[in-house]
Structure formats: C-alpha cells, structure tokens
Amino acid sequence: QQQQEEEEEEAEGEAGAGEEEDGEFLGMKGLRGQLGRQVADQMWQVGKRQASRAFSLYANIDILRPYFDVEPVQVRARLLESMIPVKMINFPQKIAGELYGPLMLVFTLVAILLHGMKTSDTIIREGTLMGTAIGTCFGYWLGVSSFMYFLAYLCNAQITMVQMLSLLGYGLFGHCITLFVTYNIHFHSLFYIFWLVVGGLSTLRMVAVLVSRTVGHTQRLILCGTLAALHMLFLLYLHFAYHKVVEGILDTLEGPNMPPFQRVARDIPVVSNAVLNTTAKAIALTL
C-alpha cells in the first residue's frame, strides 16, 4: 500500500512538472510570436514611409519646373546670344539656369546625325541608329559638363552644374547649324568655313563667359583651353569620324557586309554509254 501511494505521488509530481514545462513553452512561444509580429509591423511601416517619401519626391513636378519654365521668346533670344561673344569680362556674365533649350538642342543634334547617316553612303543593316546617336550626344553633353564643372571647381570658377549644362547645351547650337548645312552640301571647304566661323563663335561665347567667372590667368587658360579644344574637336568628330565609327560598330556586331549566299548550278559530266553498260554487266554478274 505504501509503495502504491509512493507511485501515485511520483506520477502526480511528474504530471505537475510536465504541465509547468508546457506552460513555460507556450508562454515563450507566444512571446516570440508577439515580438515577431511587432518587428514585422515596424519594418512594414518603415518601408511604407520610405516608399511613399520616394514616390512623392519623384512624382513632384515642382522640383523640375523651375528648370523648364521658359518662354519660347526667351529660348530664341538665348540661341542668338549663344553665337555672340561677350565683350565685358571684368564682371561675371549671367548664365541662364534652365535646361529646356539645351535639351531640345541635344535632341535636334540627334535628329541631324540620323539625317546625315541617311544622306551619306553609310550602309545601315538590321537596326536603328537612334541609340548610338542619343548615346553620343547625351554622353558628350552630360560627360563634358560634369568634367568641366569638376575642373571649374578646381580652378575656383563661379559656376554651378546647372549653369554649366545650360552653357554647354546652348553651345551646341553652332554644331547643329554646321552639321545641318554640311550634311546637305558636301564640300569640305564649306565645312571648314562653318567650323571656324559658326563653331568658333559659339566656342568664344562659352570661353568669354568662363573667363568672366574665373580669377587667375593660369586657371583661365586651363579651363577655357580645355573647353575650346573639346568643343571644336567634337564637331570634327561628328563630321568626319562618327559615320565610320558607327559603321565599324555595326560590322563588329552584325558581321561584315557580305552578299547573300547564292546557289550556283554545277555542270554534271556526261557519262558515256559504254561506262553504263560495263557497270550494269558487273552488277548482273555479282547478283
């Protein structure tokens, strides 16, 4: 009887310990579940706030509106001014802080390059040249503007990135005039005249503006010489080497311009009757 009572007490103790362990396990599991839900809720809220902030930033047109809020009359006046070098360089010259005119000039230059490819003897095969023209024009505009802004920062020139983009963009007006005329009238002497006169005037305009905003002869020489060399050499590249480079790229990607494969009829030799008879007799003997 005592043994039976002891066994019952041990069974009750084990059952109580098991219930306590189950309760502790369930409590920890519930606590972890609550913590996981709270962390997930916090991460969801943070991600939602960041996404809404980014969407509101990129969807807000008011950020870009000042750079494109310009009248057509102002754009026309700035196009004419881009061909007239300034004379007063003792005080900083004013630079338009808008990007509508430069952007339209870059797209115009893209269209002129495509027109020049069609009017030249360049062979276009299976594809469009829109991507190459856009990459060349926008690459020059953005790349050279960034490089010149960095160089202007080193030379202590008083100019911002938007002003540099606007200045170089309006400087492409001379390139558009030169290429449009010389693509339709194929004379190298005429191109050199336009290159020196029209391209030189637009380059002198940019150089004069940078000189008025830079202090120091060495800084002016470095900054203006670099800009003038890049701007004039880019016009030479577009006229002489751009078509050849694009044609070379097409040859590399699509293979050389070879004529399509054609089948040529072969002459079948006439077999004499003696050879045919001999062959038939040999087959008959074999069988």
Side-chain angles (χ1 to χ4, degrees):
Q1 188 175 1
Q2 290 178 357
Q3 289 178 357
Q4 192 174 5
E5 291 177 355
E6 290 176 357
E7 290 176 357
E8 290 177 355
E9 290 178 357
E10 291 177 358
E12 291 177 357
E14 290 178 357
E19 291 178 356
E20 291 178 357
E21 291 178 358
D22 292 339
E24 293 177 357
F25 176 74
L26 291 174
M28 290 297 295
K29 186 176 181 181
L31 182 61
R32 290 177 181 176
Q34 292 179 357
L35 289 176
R37 286 194 297 271
Q38 290 179 358
V39 172
D41 292 338
Q42 290 180 359
M43 292 179 64
W44 169 257
Q45 294 296 332
V46 171
K48 186 178 179 181
R49 285 196 298 268
Q50 291 180 354
S52 62
R53 188 181 305 170
F55 180 77
S56 62
L57 177 63
Y58 289 105
N60 193 1
I61 306 177
D62 293 335
I63 298 176
L64 300 176
R65 183 177 297 175
Y67 304 112
F68 294 91
D69 188 10
V70 61
E71 297 294 332
V73 178
Q74 295 177 349
V75 175
R76 183 180 60 187
R78 288 166 184 171
L79 288 175
L80 295 177
E81 290 177 357
S82 65
M83 303 297 299
I84 302 173
V86 295
K87 298 180 180 180
M88 301 296 295
I89 59 174
N90 296 326
F91 57 91
Q93 295 293 324
K94 184 179 179 181
I95 302 176
E98 53 94 8
L99 300 177
Y100 176 78
L103 189 63
M104 293 300 104
L105 282 173
V106 173
F107 280 118
T108 304
L109 185 60
V110 170
I112 292 173
L113 289 180
L114 295 178
H115 173 70
M117 294 294 289
K118 292 180 180 179
T119 56
S120 64
D121 296 332
T122 305
I123 301 174
I124 303 173
R125 300 180 302 276
E126 296 181 1
T128 178
L129 301 174
M130 182 69 73
T132 307
I134 290 176
T136 302
C137 297
F138 276 92
Y140 171 78
W141 182 42
L142 299 176
V144 175
S145 296
S146 302
F147 175 72
M148 293 305 302
Y149 174 71
F150 175 72
L151 195 62
Y153 175 78
L154 296 179
C155 296
N156 294 324
Q158 301 175 2
I159 191 170
T160 62
M161 184 62 188
V162 177
Q163 290 176 341
M164 181 61 72
L165 287 171
S166 179
L167 182 65
L168 188 64
Y170 278 109
L172 293 175
F173 182 58
H175 288 34
C176 293
I177 295 175
T178 303
L179 293 177
F180 181 75
V181 174
T182 55
Y183 278 164
N184 293 286
I185 303 174
H186 301 283
F187 291 107
H188 290 299
S189 58
L190 181 64
F191 168 76
Y192 286 119
I193 293 173
F194 272 80
W195 179 67
L196 289 174
V197 177
V198 181
L201 288 176
S202 62
T203 304
L204 284 177
R205 168 73 183 189
M206 295 188 296
V207 167
V209 173
L210 286 179
V211 167
S212 67
R213 290 176 169 265
T214 309
V215 179
H217 297 286
T218 305
Q219 290 84 351
R220 289 178 175 178
L221 182 62
I222 294 174
L223 189 61
C224 299
T226 304
L227 180 60
L230 291 175
H231 202 63
M232 298 296 286
L233 290 176
F234 181 64
L235 183 55
L236 288 175
Y237 166 76
L238 292 180
H239 183 77
F240 291 106
Y242 174 74
H243 297 172
K244 297 180 181 179
V245 170
V246 173
E247 190 173 3
I249 293 173
L250 292 177
D251 289 338
T252 303
L253 296 177
E254 303 175 4
N257 186 20
M258 298 178 62
F261 177 75
Q262 297 178 355
R263 294 185 177 180
V264 180
R266 297 182 179 179
D267 295 333
I268 300 175
V270 179
V271 182
S272 62
N273 294 328
V275 176
L276 290 176
N277 294 331
T278 305
T279 304
K281 290 179 180 179
I283 295 173
L285 292 174
T286 303
L287 295 175

